[in-house]
Amino acid sequence: MSAQRLISNRTFQQTVSNSDYTWEYEYYEIGPVSFEGLKAHKYSIVIGFWVGLAVFVIFMFFVLTLLTKTGAPHQDNIESSEKRFRMNSFVSDFGKPLDPDKVFSRQGNEESRSLFHCYINEVGHSDRAKAGHQTTAIDSAAQLQEAIRGSRRAEEELNRLMKFDIPNFVNTDQNSFGEDDLLISEPPIVLENKPVSQTSHKDLD
Amino acid sequence: MKHIIHSNGNLNDTVRNNSDCPHVALPEEIFFVISIAGILENLIILLAVIKNKNLQSPMYFFICSLAISDMLGSLYKIVENVLIMFRNMGYLKPHGSFETTADDIIDTMFILSLLGSIFSLLAIAVDRYITIFHALQYHSIVTMCRTIVILAIIWIFCIGSGIAMVIFSHHVPTVLTFASLFPLMLVFILCLYVHMFLLARSHARNISTLPRANMRGAITLTILLGVFIFCWAPFILHVLLMTFCPRNPYCTCYMSLFQVNGMLIMCNAVIDPFIYAFRSPELRGAFRRMMSYS
């Protein structure tokens, strides 16, 4: 009963020419399908498809899990250091509540600090020009704050700002804010457009 | 695509053996419940975004686009079931012009919903990718104006493709195009998310976060992509089998599960809000405010 559709017996006529025979698509009466002489089980495609799909998803999950344990250290170093340089430049530019010492403590030495100062002027100006207005820099500082986790102060501010952000799963542990949240949830940049800009306006004035 | 979507109607005339694969028929009530749940959920999301000014950002617009396509899919199912009920009660003729036109329109709605879903998911993935990898220039790359333009382009393209696919549904290239969109999008979205995941992992490693966080990221990614795959792949395979081996007994047995496959697509419309929209605490807060006022 419920298998019947609206147009159950419909045939679609398409007369191509005025000749004696006409095209007719009778795609509802396919005709009886013989089930004789089947070598494998008749539901083999169904079973094979679903098993294959499950195996693929589980395989994908294991690949992702393995990536968390091993992965590409080369790409790791380049990417993380590059992003750290860019992010850190904006922190210093701003003179934001983040303690620059704590920012730079992760790098360690004076050399890198001077390198940052050089880089700061480059990146700061170019990115400011690109951004055009203040909120971009403010938002980048917001993202920066959440990237730098070493300092307790950053973490406190982070917790304050991150209450807008989402843990994907119920997050009862304050310290388990991970990058995966940034990955899957919406970015703090977008969320904290208003609150951060309000905060930083207060700070800058 | 009409012949594929509606081909399982005629069971009266075919002679079936006992060893045949009988069509698995789900009660209409299940379809109604799932479709109405899908429509309500996605409507809530749309209302929340429309009423709250702070939710009117590009990311939420992409989530709204996904909600609209899910709503269209559920609406398609409801309208189709209503039309079938009318036909069974004798109010509609089987071959009338009104029925044919109505059939064409709802088929277009269905394909529009599928294509809209695919492109919305793609847009959400690209938006998140830009957020992470071009964080500093995000606001200059993804402006509201560009978001609206991109969404308009996506929907115009989907409407045009939907109409074209319904008109040319009998040709094999149409079916191949339709069926190949799915794996292409899947691979692309997979690459985007894996790249984002790698960056997240590299940051986490420097910060000595708990490995639990990375495991959670892997689980979340698997859920996102797994739901996408599980809900759509059965129907896409059905389309392919229908085109290339309609008389093969193995293919026929697979196609006898057509209603289950269709129901999975409806379930996708119900599950998507939970894995995309309701992840956001802002949207959840807006939803709670709406509920408390009403």
Side-chain angles (χ1 to χ4, degrees), chain A:
Chain A
M1 180 262 292
S2 59
Q4 285 180 357
R5 287 287 178 262
L6 170 66
I7 311 183
S8 56
N9 272 329
R10 196 177 93 172
T11 58
F12 180 81
Q13 276 201 355
Q14 190 179 22
T15 56
V16 181
S17 60
N18 287 330
S19 56
D20 292 338
Y21 52 89
T22 60
W23 265 108
E24 275 192 10
Y25 283 97
E26 292 191 350
Y27 39 82
Y28 299 111
E29 287 100 13
I30 294 177
V33 178
S34 92
F35 280 82
E36 304 300 322
L38 290 185
K39 295 194 194 64
H41 189 260
K42 56 184 177 174
Y43 281 110
S44 54
I45 289 188
V46 177
I47 297 170
F49 171 74
W50 282 104
V51 168
L53 212 57
V55 163
F56 175 71
V57 171
I58 293 175
F59 169 72
M60 193 174 68
F61 175 67
F62 278 125
V63 164
L64 288 174
T65 320
L66 276 176
L67 283 177
T68 69
K69 296 189 173 54
T70 55
H74 175 67
Q75 176 190 16
D76 183 0
N77 288 336
I78 287 179
E79 271 191 12
S80 62
S81 53
E82 185 181 310
K83 294 214 171 356
R84 208 177 300 137
F85 282 166
R86 285 202 294 178
M87 290 182 201
N88 288 337
S89 68
F90 276 87
V91 172
S92 306
D93 240 3
F94 245 174
K96 276 289 292 177
L98 270 185
D99 195 350
D101 288 336
K102 290 198 176 147
V103 168
F104 289 116
S105 66
R106 298 170 47 101
Q107 316 307 329
N109 49 18
E110 295 291 327
E111 230 173 88
S112 51
R113 199 179 287 190
S114 61
L115 190 67
F116 289 157
H117 283 293
C118 294
Y119 192 77
I120 280 162
N121 294 328
E122 264 181 71
V123 176
H125 291 310
S126 68
D127 275 329
R128 251 198 208 148
K130 274 187 213 164
H133 57 88
Q134 206 172 12
T135 50
T136 308
I138 292 167
D139 293 336
S140 66
Q143 175 160 18
L144 229 161
Q145 290 178 11
E146 86 48 52
I148 296 169
R149 243 152 267 185
S151 60
R152 188 178 307 166
R153 201 159 153 208
E155 198 171 318
E156 276 171 11
E157 277 194 348
L158 209 147
N159 288 334
R160 180 173 59 85
L161 293 172
M162 286 313 126
K163 67 176 182 250
F164 299 108
D165 196 27
I166 333 169
N168 283 316
F169 297 92
V170 175
N171 188 10
T172 53
D173 181 11
Q174 284 291 342
N175 294 327
S176 65
F177 176 82
E179 284 290 347
D180 58 330
D181 298 345
L182 173 66
L183 166 69
I184 307 300
S185 59
E186 71 268 16
I189 274 185
V190 179
L191 283 184
E192 294 150 15
N193 207 355
K194 293 192 172 76
V196 174
S197 60
Q198 288 164 5
T199 317
S200 57
H201 278 309
K202 280 184 217 151
D203 285 336
L204 292 174
D205 288 347

Side-chain angles (χ1 to χ4, degrees), chain B residues 192-241:
Chain B
L192 287 179
Y193 276 123
V194 166
H195 197 196
M196 286 192 265
F197 181 75
L198 285 176
L199 175 66
R201 188 193 44 79
S202 72
H203 273 209
R205 177 175 302 188
N206 292 331
I207 297 161
S208 70
T209 322
L210 301 168
R212 220 189 63 172
N214 288 330
M215 178 63 74
R216 236 174 40 209
I219 291 174
T220 308
L221 258 189
T222 310
I223 288 177
L224 276 186
L225 295 168
V227 165
F228 183 68
I229 295 172
F230 271 117
C231 290
W232 288 24
F235 178 76
I236 302 289
L237 185 62
H238 178 97
V239 167
L240 285 173
L241 292 182

Side-chain angles (χ1 to χ4, degrees), chain B residues 232-252:
Chain B
W232 288 24
F235 178 76
I236 302 289
L237 185 62
H238 178 97
V239 167
L240 285 173
L241 292 182
M242 187 75 192
T243 308
F244 292 114
C245 61
R247 292 179 188 272
N248 189 321
Y250 299 112
C251 300
T252 312

Side-chain angles (χ1 to χ4, degrees), chain B residues 137-241:
Chain B
Q137 298 98 20
Y138 177 79
H139 281 294
S140 53
I141 296 177
V142 185
T143 59
M144 284 302 288
C145 179
R146 279 185 200 165
T147 307
I148 293 174
V149 165
I150 286 173
L151 283 176
I153 291 175
I154 285 177
W155 281 99
I156 290 173
F157 175 75
C158 290
I159 291 173
S161 307
I163 294 175
M165 281 188 186
V166 166
I167 292 176
F168 296 109
S169 61
H170 309 292
H171 301 89
V172 170
T174 311
V175 174
L176 279 179
T177 312
F178 180 75
S180 63
L181 263 180
F182 171 77
L184 282 176
M185 290 297 163
L186 176 68
V187 164
F188 190 51
I189 290 177
L190 188 66
C191 291
L192 287 179
Y193 276 123
V194 166
H195 197 196
M196 286 192 265
F197 181 75
L198 285 176
L199 175 66
R201 188 193 44 79
S202 72
H203 273 209
R205 177 175 302 188
N206 292 331
I207 297 161
S208 70
T209 322
L210 301 168
R212 220 189 63 172
N214 288 330
M215 178 63 74
R216 236 174 40 209
I219 291 174
T220 308
L221 258 189
T222 310
I223 288 177
L224 276 186
L225 295 168
V227 165
F228 183 68
I229 295 172
F230 271 117
C231 290
W232 288 24
F235 178 76
I236 302 289
L237 185 62
H238 178 97
V239 167
L240 285 173
L241 292 182

Side-chain angles (χ1 to χ4, degrees), chain B:
Chain B
M1 221 65 58
K2 296 179 290 207
H3 61 292
I4 294 171
I5 297 173
H6 296 287
S7 69
N8 292 292
N10 184 22
L11 298 179
N12 299 329
D13 299 5
T14 55
V15 175
R16 300 262 172 192
N17 304 334
N18 288 336
S19 61
D20 285 353
C21 302
H23 278 250
V24 173
L26 296 176
E28 298 286 339
E29 292 78 21
I30 290 185
F31 281 112
F32 267 119
V33 165
I34 293 180
S35 307
I36 289 176
I39 286 183
L40 285 178
E41 279 175 19
N42 291 295
L43 202 59
I44 286 173
I45 293 173
L46 284 178
L47 286 175
V49 171
I50 288 173
K51 284 192 179 175
N52 287 288
K53 291 287 179 239
N54 61 340
L55 288 181
Q56 287 173 3
S57 67
M59 183 189 55
Y60 286 107
F61 276 23
F62 291 129
I63 289 182
C64 275
S65 167
L66 183 66
I68 289 175
S69 8
D70 287 339
M71 243 168 46
L72 274 178
S74 305
L75 202 62
Y76 153 78
K77 199 64 197 170
I78 289 181
V79 171
E80 190 193 40
N81 283 352
V82 163
L83 286 175
I84 290 171
M85 271 167 31
F86 281 172
R87 186 200 169 272
N88 288 343
M89 286 193 258
Y91 294 130
L92 295 176
K93 298 175 301 207
H95 304 294
S97 64
F98 167 73
E99 290 75 17
T100 316
T101 317
D103 195 46
D104 283 344
I105 291 175
I106 62 176
D107 284 343
T108 313
M109 209 192 304
F110 177 64
I111 295 180
L112 181 64
S113 145
L114 289 192
L115 292 177
S117 257
I118 291 180
F119 282 109
S120 300
L121 291 175
L122 183 68
I124 290 175
V126 169
D127 177 61
R128 286 175 177 172
Y129 188 84
I130 294 177
T131 302
I132 291 195
F133 286 96
H134 301 278
L136 305 176
Q137 298 98 20
Y138 177 79
H139 281 294
S140 53
I141 296 177
V142 185
T143 59
M144 284 302 288
C145 179
R146 279 185 200 165
T147 307
I148 293 174
V149 165
I150 286 173
L151 283 176
I153 291 175
I154 285 177
W155 281 99
I156 290 173
F157 175 75
C158 290
I159 291 173
S161 307
I163 294 175
M165 281 188 186
V166 166
I167 292 176
F168 296 109
S169 61
H170 309 292
H171 301 89
V172 170
T174 311
V175 174
L176 279 179
T177 312
F178 180 75
S180 63
L181 263 180
F182 171 77
L184 282 176
M185 290 297 163
L186 176 68
V187 164
F188 190 51
I189 290 177
L190 188 66
C191 291
L192 287 179
Y193 276 123
V194 166
H195 197 196
M196 286 192 265
F197 181 75
L198 285 176
L199 175 66
R201 188 193 44 79
S202 72
H203 273 209
R205 177 175 302 188
N206 292 331
I207 297 161
S208 70
T209 322
L210 301 168
R212 220 189 63 172
N214 288 330
M215 178 63 74
R216 236 174 40 209
I219 291 174
T220 308
L221 258 189
T222 310
I223 288 177
L224 276 186
L225 295 168
V227 165
F228 183 68
I229 295 172
F230 271 117
C231 290
W232 288 24
F235 178 76
I236 302 289
L237 185 62
H238 178 97
V239 167
L240 285 173
L241 292 182
M242 187 75 192
T243 308
F244 292 114
C245 61
R247 292 179 188 272
N248 189 321
Y250 299 112
C251 300
T252 312
C253 276
Y254 181 84
M255 292 189 287
S256 68
L257 297 174
F258 174 71
Q259 293 203 8
V260 176
N261 298 339
M263 197 196 65
L264 282 174
I265 294 186
M266 300 302 119
C267 289
N268 183 54
V270 169
I271 295 174
D272 267 349
F274 289 105
I275 59 178
Y276 282 98
F278 289 142
R279 288 295 192 187
S280 151
E282 280 207 349
L283 205 132
R284 282 202 300 261
F287 170 63
R288 271 188 225 113
R289 277 196 300 274
M290 268 171 48
M291 289 293 116
S292 60
Y293 287 153
S294 63

